[in-house]
Amino acid sequence: MNLSDQNALELLQKDPVKGFKVLFDKYWDMLFAIAVTKLPSREEARDTVQEVFLSLWASRDSIRDEGSLFPWLSTCLRNRVYNHYARNKTRQQFIRDMEGRFTDAANNVAEKLASKELKALIEEAISQLPPKMQLVFRMNKEEQLAPSEIAKNLSLSVQTVKNQLYRANEQVKNYIAARIEPSILIIILLAMMDKK
């Protein structure tokens, strides 16, 4: 049935199902062709055009004969396309925000846990050093004293302090390497890479 828009709108008022079918058959392909060019997929275009026709059905009693129905349908389609992108943008932004917050929180917890475990392991490694070596190591690492200052404070030669520091560093590294969980090591390395 090939009716003018005016006749189809009259039919829509008298026999809504028939009038709707006439308008659906007349405008579906045209609206779908437009929607396909504006939306990312054919499925989204199909869904959007269906929403337009749902709006037509819901508004059937208030639509007045203004010559052509196409301007009303195309405006409705344009608004649906805008809404689609606004919803998607909002949804995508929400997802990105939530992923970012979750990732940041997870990284902070993992970093704190790894840092706490690493500190405990380092402390354990230092406590395994001989007392004099432990003292030299702590003065260098914790008090930030140079080998010459340590040598002066402990009445040792600078070379003896350097040797003690070298051996202490090696022993601490070996102790930690033999005991650290690989997952903790990975977290520490990732945290160090993020900070660079």
Side-chain angles (χ1 to χ4, degrees):
M1 187 183 296
N2 193 6
L3 296 175
S4 69
D5 283 357
Q6 182 179 358
N7 293 338
L9 285 170
E10 288 172 13
L11 184 59
L12 187 63
Q13 299 300 318
K14 293 176 188 167
D15 186 352
V17 175
K18 269 190 182 175
F20 182 81
K21 175 144 178 43
V22 167
L23 292 169
F24 184 89
D25 291 342
K26 182 173 183 177
Y27 287 110
W28 173 267
D29 290 335
M30 192 182 316
L31 292 173
F32 182 72
I34 294 168
V36 164
T37 65
K38 306 293 183 198
L39 294 165
S41 73
R42 295 179 68 81
E43 292 78 25
E44 289 170 308
R46 184 194 68 234
D47 292 347
T48 302
V49 173
Q50 286 175 350
E51 288 175 14
V52 169
F53 280 102
L54 283 173
S55 292
L56 173 64
W57 179 257
S59 304
R60 69 185 180 279
D61 294 330
S62 61
I63 295 177
R64 301 286 166 243
D65 177 20
E66 296 178 15
S68 174
L69 186 60
F70 182 72
W72 187 91
L73 291 170
S74 62
T75 299
C76 189
L77 176 64
R78 183 191 68 219
N79 291 339
R80 298 283 175 181
V81 169
Y82 289 158
N83 289 344
H84 169 82
Y85 282 111
R87 269 192 319 265
N88 260 1
K89 182 177 180 186
T90 303
R91 185 180 306 127
Q92 294 298 329
Q93 186 62 44
F94 176 76
I95 290 169
R96 278 194 299 275
D97 288 349
M98 287 299 108
E99 285 175 345
R101 288 180 188 162
F102 178 77
T103 302
D104 289 347
N107 285 346
N108 287 343
V109 169
E111 259 182 62
K112 286 177 184 171
L113 180 63
S115 177
K116 185 177 176 182
E117 288 185 29
L118 182 60
K119 283 178 184 173
L121 191 58
I122 290 171
E123 189 55 44
E124 191 179 305
I126 294 170
S127 69
Q128 300 298 314
L129 298 173
K132 192 79 158 182
M133 188 183 287
Q134 192 178 134
L135 179 61
V136 168
F137 187 83
R138 287 187 188 281
M139 290 176 81
N140 179 254
K141 300 299 181 189
E142 293 171 7
E143 297 174 31
Q144 302 291 313
L145 296 178
S148 59
E149 294 172 302
I150 296 169
K152 185 177 176 184
N153 288 343
L154 298 178
S155 301
L156 299 170
S157 73
V158 175
Q159 190 57 48
T160 300
V161 170
K162 286 181 180 179
N163 291 343
Q164 291 278 317
L165 283 174
Y166 176 79
R167 282 193 301 240
N169 279 322
E170 288 300 308
Q171 287 180 29
V172 168
K173 271 195 298 188
N174 291 336
Y175 186 90
I176 292 170
R179 287 162 182 81
I180 196 163
E181 291 281 327
S183 58
I184 302 289
L185 185 59
I186 290 170
I187 291 170
I188 293 164
L189 292 174
L190 290 174
M192 290 170 64
M193 288 170 48
D194 282 346
K195 290 178 182 173
K196 287 185 179 178

